[in-house]
Amino acid sequence: VQLVESGGGSVQAGGSLRLSCAASGSIFSIDHMGWYRQAPGKERELVARISSDGDTIYADSVKGRFSISRDNAENKLYLQMGSLKPEDTAIYYCAAGETTATMKIAWRSWGQGTQVTVSS
């Protein structure tokens, strides 16, 4: 599966951005899609994920501000980000994963990342 993100950029605190991720290749193997982010000097962290059934999970830090959605017909994933804060500044990565035999998520494919910068 190949993933290509778009939509990053610079915005002032309180603003909004919408990230997109286009998937191609072995789409049938995708059970879950998600957004991760990595800030300078920090580990990569899960922002939000969505299953093929539409179930969503959000990091506590973005609940109520971010919304993840997917368009299965277009093979696209979105992240609508609102009320952005400087601490949301990071490289955001799109990921695609499968459910393993032990019912865990194995993230198999990653996009190249898109920079989001929020200024105060």
Side-chain angles (χ1 to χ4, degrees):
V1 176
Q2 292 77 48
L3 304 172
V4 179
E5 302 100 334
S6 61
S10 297
V11 64
Q12 289 192 327
S16 300
L17 280 174
R18 188 193 195 204
L19 305 183
S20 300
C21 173
S24 61
S26 302
I27 307 298
F28 63 89
S29 65
I30 299 175
D31 297 317
H32 304 271
M33 296 195 76
W35 290 97
Y36 278 74
R37 67 185 181 186
Q38 187 166 20
K42 295 188 177 182
E43 292 186 355
R44 190 174 297 190
E45 63 175 359
L46 176 69
V47 176
R49 60 175 171 88
I50 184 168
S51 70
S52 56
D53 295 331
D55 294 331
T56 58
I57 295 289
Y58 293 91
D60 288 342
S61 59
V62 306
K63 282 181 181 177
R65 300 188 298 121
F66 291 10
S67 178
I68 188 171
S69 61
R70 62 191 292 178
D71 184 333
N72 291 330
E74 296 291 330
N75 297 323
K76 287 188 175 180
L77 179 72
Y78 302 99
L79 184 68
Q80 181 67 47
M81 305 185 294
S83 301
L84 283 162
K85 304 175 181 180
E87 51 263 44
D88 294 317
T89 295
I91 299 174
Y92 284 70
Y93 297 90
C94 174
E98 302 167 4
T99 303
T100 68
T102 56
M103 302 307 291
K104 293 184 178 181
I105 300 174
W107 297 104
R108 304 292 190 192
S109 302
W110 295 86
Q112 81 287 352
T114 185
Q115 177 71 46
V116 171
T117 302
V118 184
S119 58
S120 58

